[in-house]
């Protein structure tokens, strides 16, 4: 069905009104539909779903390469399991959707996350040190009763993610897993999808409920606000003790296991991909996840339709043999100009035009979405599309990196901090502590600056010089923290 609205195109510029641009691009490029009618629940349309399928696939390949295996667990969690780890239940209970009306049975939680679903099974499966490490992941939708304003793909009451749940014999192995998870985020979200991030070890007051510590990937939206992407948690032995996840070590002694979990939210990463790369003409999809990587638009009239379609079909089949996602747009009810416009709005990386003139010269007109470049090239160029696609993704990433690089500034005083936050930057400052004693300074920053302490760099050892003071309380600074406004 034709969507009248999409023909109107975007009516705002991305850097003038990002929020409105974002809503329009999701709607007009047919990524999501907001008309389902239940707060926080949205419909993801085929264009969004096809991109997410590819994102899932690339993510899962990266996890499998590092020894993870897939599993599927039920969406419901028995209330008694959910309540086993006390910090976890305190943190998550307000967010839970409960299924209440099953006659004669106890309440069931719709999973907000699956620790309490999976670990009772882990306690059955794991017997000895030979069963470790156990590294499993599942593709899942999870449910959280958000009371804050919801934003499509960014914050909703249902979202789509992957959750990994890993078990180790030692704390060192579990901590190494946290670092591996940061590298997975780097390999997939940054290197493939082109979304840069800061790996932040969260302050103690901002860790996952039930974890020893949390590392989260902070990304930057075009409006300067931080959006949290995958986080990974060192669960320590909290859940192992609550769920009795034990193993016999090599000496035959029973030990509690060490656990981690990691949760890349594919729907939310799609929000970052769209926001990071899109422009005033619509989406700019990375080549590696675009539902259509190459669109062929044949330009014909009644007389030459047959021979042009034949050549277009041939080009399509050559491209498909290279495992590319190709669409041949032969609709007759649309003019070529309308088709160009529509595929640009949807962010398709490459467009091939083929008409009488090109056919005669054995050439094609090749347009590239990100640069807007349009060139007449020999038809044989189609054998290089894969390589051109890789270069295309490199350009998107370089542009995003450049944006991110300019956004972090060192601040020495509260005034500088205020100014940085006001200018939509991430401030890097000396800070007293990311343990309990730092809570008060973080509250002051929240109240007076309107920003959050996001944490310390998780994969580098950054420490203040001797004698440096906390930017707020003037006590000796033990940490360098990053501060910004978040979604
Ligand atoms: Zn302080």
């Amino acid at each position: 069905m034709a969507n009248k609205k999409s023909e109107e195109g975007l009516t705002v510029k991305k850097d003038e009104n990002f929020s409105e641009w974002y809503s329009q691009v999701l709607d007009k490029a047919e990524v999501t539909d907001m008309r389902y009618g239940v707060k926080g629940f949205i419909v993801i349309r085929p264009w969004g779903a096809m991109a997410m399928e590819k994102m899932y696939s690339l993510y899962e390949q990266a996890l499998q390469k590092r020894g993870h295996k897939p599993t599927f667990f039920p969406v419901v969690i028995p209330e008694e399991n959910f309540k086993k780890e006390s910090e976890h239940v305190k943190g998550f209970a307000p967010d839970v959707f409960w299924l209440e009306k099953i006659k004669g049975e106890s309440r069931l939680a719709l999973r907000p996350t699956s620790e309490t679903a999976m670990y009772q099974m882990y306690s059955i499966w794991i017997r000895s040190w030979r069963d470790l490490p156990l590294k499993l992941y599942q593709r899942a939708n999870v449910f959280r009763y958000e009371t804050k304003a919801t934003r499509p793909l960014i914050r909703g009451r249902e979202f789509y993610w992957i959750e990994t749940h890993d078990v180790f014999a030692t704390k060192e192995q579990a901590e190494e897993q946290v670092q591996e998870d940061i590298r997975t985020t780097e390999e997939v979200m940054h290197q493939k999808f082109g979304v840069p991030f800061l790996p932040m070890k969260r302050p103690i007051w901002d860790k996952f409920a039930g974890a020893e510590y949390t590392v989260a990937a902070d990304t930057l939206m075009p409006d300067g606000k931080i959006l949290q992407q995958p986080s990974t948690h060192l669960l320590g032995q909290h859940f192992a003790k609550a769920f009795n996840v034990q193993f016999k070590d090599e000496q035959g002694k029973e030990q509690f296991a060490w656990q981690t979990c990691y949760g890349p939210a594919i729907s939310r990463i799609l929000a970052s991909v769209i926001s990071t790369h899109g422009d005033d003409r619509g989406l700019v999809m990375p080549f590696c996840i675009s539902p259509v990587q190459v669109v062929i638009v044949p330009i014909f009239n009644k007389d030459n339709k047959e021979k042009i379609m034949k050549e277009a079909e041939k080009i399509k089949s050559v491209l498909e043999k290279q495992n590319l996602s190709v669409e041949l747009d032969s609709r007759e009810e649309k003019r070529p100009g309308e088709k160009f416009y529509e595929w640009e709005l949807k962010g398709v990386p490459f467009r091939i035009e083929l008409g009488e003139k090109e056919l005669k010269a054995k050439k094609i007109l090749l347009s590239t979405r990100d640069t807007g470049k349009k060139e007449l090239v020999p038809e044989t160029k189609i054998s290089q599309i894969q390589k051109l696609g890789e270069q295309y993704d490199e350009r998107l990433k370089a542009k995003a990196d450049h944006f991110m690089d300019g956004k972090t500034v060192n601040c020495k005083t509260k005034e500088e901090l205020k100014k940085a936050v006001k200018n939509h930057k991430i401030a890097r400052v000396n800070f007293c502590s990311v343990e309990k004693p730092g809570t008060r300074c973080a509250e002051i920053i929240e109240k007076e600056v309107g920003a959050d302490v996001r944490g310390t760099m998780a994969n580098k050892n950054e420490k203040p010089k001797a004698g440096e003071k906390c930017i707020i309380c003037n006590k000796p600074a033990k940490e360098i923290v990053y501060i910004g406004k978040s979604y």
Side-chain angles (χ1 to χ4, degrees):
M1 197 180 75
N3 183 345
K4 260 247 140 68
K5 276 186 295 181
S6 73
E7 287 160 20
E8 291 164 12
L10 304 179
T11 59
V12 288
K13 289 200 175 349
K14 185 182 172 189
D15 59 4
E16 283 170 9
N17 186 348
F18 169 68
S19 170
E20 176 59 22
W21 175 91
Y22 182 71
S23 300
Q24 283 194 13
V25 86
L26 289 184
D27 183 32
K28 294 181 175 184
E30 300 179 338
V31 178
T32 57
D33 199 318
M34 303 300 292
R35 294 172 294 186
Y36 191 70
V38 183
K39 181 183 153 68
F41 291 85
I42 62 167
V43 176
I44 298 176
R45 303 187 67 176
W47 196 253
M50 285 191 286
M52 281 170 56
E53 278 296 330
K54 291 191 173 187
M55 293 167 74
Y56 265 117
S57 163
L58 289 169
Y59 235 115
E60 289 173 4
Q61 280 170 31
L63 290 170
Q64 289 186 12
K65 197 174 74 186
R66 296 182 167 97
H68 290 89
K69 290 197 170 66
T71 181
F72 288 108
F73 267 71
V75 69
V76 293
I77 302 173
E79 184 170 20
E80 54 168 307
N81 277 20
F82 186 74
K83 292 188 163 164
K84 273 187 182 161
E85 207 291 322
S86 61
E87 253 188 73
H88 186 72
V89 67
K90 220 165 65 194
F92 273 98
D95 296 344
V96 171
F97 283 98
W98 291 102
L99 300 177
E100 309 246 4
K101 299 233 165 160
I102 309 170
K103 233 190 183 159
E105 294 178 27
S106 64
R107 291 208 296 177
L108 297 170
L110 274 183
R111 62 181 169 217
T113 172
S114 301
E115 287 74 11
T116 57
M118 294 170 85
Y119 300 164
Q120 63 158 343
M121 298 308 295
Y122 282 15
S123 78
I124 298 170
W125 293 340
I126 295 167
R127 285 280 162 255
S128 95
W129 62 275
R130 287 186 190 85
D131 300 322
L132 300 177
L134 178 68
K135 296 171 72 163
L136 302 184
Y137 74 87
Q138 72 169 345
R139 247 187 212 218
N141 49 345
V142 291
F143 305 87
R144 294 181 189 177
Y145 183 78
E146 280 290 347
T147 49
K148 287 195 217 167
T150 56
R151 294 278 283 142
L153 304 177
I154 294 174
R155 178 180 289 115
R157 288 175 166 181
E158 177 181 27
F159 59 90
Y160 297 84
W161 76 350
I162 295 169
E163 48 184 316
T164 76
H165 294 273
D166 298 352
V167 190
F168 303 91
T170 67
K171 185 176 186 181
E172 290 67 34
Q173 290 168 343
E175 293 211 275
E176 168 47 29
Q177 184 59 44
V178 170
Q179 292 299 320
E180 183 189 286
D181 292 340
I182 298 172
R183 293 194 294 273
T184 301
T185 309
E186 169 62 25
E187 178 189 316
V188 184
M189 192 175 77
H190 184 209
Q191 297 300 326
K192 292 194 193 306
F193 307 159
V195 176
F197 65 96
L198 296 173
M200 293 277 99
K201 184 174 176 184
R202 293 279 184 251
I204 196 81
W205 54 86
D206 199 19
K207 70 182 171 72
F208 176 78
E212 281 194 15
Y213 64 78
T214 289
V215 172
D218 276 347
T219 64
L220 205 55
M221 294 293 258
D223 58 2
K225 280 193 200 151
I226 292 166
L227 182 64
Q228 172 173 312
Q229 289 293 359
S231 52
T232 178
H233 314 290
L234 182 80
L235 299 175
Q237 295 179 311
H238 298 189
F239 285 91
K241 286 176 181 163
F243 285 88
N244 214 20
V245 181
Q246 292 191 69
F247 66 97
K248 268 199 173 63
D249 68 15
E250 287 178 63
Q251 282 74 47
K253 219 178 117 201
E254 286 289 340
Q255 303 272 8
F256 284 109
W258 293 85
Q259 295 182 274
T260 64
C261 58
Y262 170 59
I266 300 300
S267 47
R268 183 180 259 205
I269 296 174
L270 179 61
S272 278
V273 166
I274 288 169
S275 308
T276 301
H277 305 308
D279 65 17
D280 293 341
R281 288 180 291 144
L283 299 176
V284 177
M285 293 303 283
F287 183 77
C288 64
I289 58 170
S290 188
V292 172
Q293 293 167 302
V294 188
V295 61
I296 306 165
V297 181
I299 300 176
F300 51 70
N301 54 39
K302 263 198 285 226
D303 302 330
N304 64 9
K305 180 177 174 186
E306 202 179 319
K307 66 176 175 187
I308 286 180
M309 278 304 291
K310 203 177 144 204
E311 190 64 16
E313 293 280 5
K314 200 184 91 189
I315 293 174
K316 181 173 185 246
S317 97
V318 171
L319 289 168
E320 280 174 342
K321 280 203 188 101
Q322 303 168 49
N323 275 327
L324 298 172
S325 309
V326 189
E327 173 98 13
L328 172 53
D329 187 354
S330 57
R331 290 174 294 174
E332 298 204 25
E333 73 277 13
K334 291 220 174 212
R335 283 179 285 115
E338 292 173 314
K339 293 179 185 176
F340 299 166
Y341 195 70
E342 190 180 318
W343 295 114
E344 272 177 9
L345 182 60
K346 285 183 177 286
V348 171
F350 297 107
R351 182 179 77 227
I352 290 173
E353 287 165 52
L354 182 72
E356 181 78 30
K357 210 173 59 193
E358 288 83 20
L359 190 66
K360 268 197 185 131
K362 287 209 166 300
K363 292 194 167 172
I364 52 168
L365 203 55
L366 180 68
S367 302
T368 306
R369 176 63 181 84
D370 68 321
T371 58
K373 210 159 108 185
K374 201 166 164 173
E375 39 180 0
L376 195 63
V377 294
E379 206 185 289
T380 50
K381 187 97 173 178
I382 58 172
S383 65
Q384 294 169 32
I385 293 282
Q386 181 66 43
K387 206 176 113 217
L388 294 175
E390 285 159 20
Q391 291 165 358
Y392 172 104
D393 282 354
E394 280 298 320
R395 281 195 305 276
L396 297 194
K397 178 161 72 77
K399 198 175 162 200
D401 288 350
H402 182 72
F403 176 78
M404 183 89 170
D405 286 345
K407 291 290 176 186
T408 304
V409 291
N410 290 315
C411 299
K412 292 280 172 212
T413 64
K414 202 155 77 174
E415 295 320 305
E416 283 177 21
L417 170 61
K418 278 184 182 166
K419 199 176 137 207
V421 170
K422 201 169 149 244
N423 290 334
H424 311 291
K425 306 257 177 171
I426 298 174
R428 187 172 174 275
V429 308
N430 292 320
F431 198 73
C432 49
S433 170
V434 287
E435 302 293 325
K436 264 231 164 80
T439 317
R440 221 181 79 84
C441 289
E443 283 167 1
I444 291 172
I445 289 170
E446 213 181 305
K447 226 169 89 195
E448 293 182 21
V449 186
D452 311 314
V453 175
R454 307 298 296 178
T456 53
M457 201 58 97
N459 59 353
K460 266 195 257 180
N461 190 18
E462 288 188 335
K463 290 286 175 197
K465 289 195 208 97
E468 304 264 30
K469 301 275 197 284
C470 171
I471 193 168
I472 301 295
C473 67
N474 226 19
K475 286 182 190 147
K478 280 193 263 175
E479 311 286 352
I480 292 176
V481 299
Y482 293 73
I483 296 172
K485 261 192 199 298
S486 70
Y487 266 82

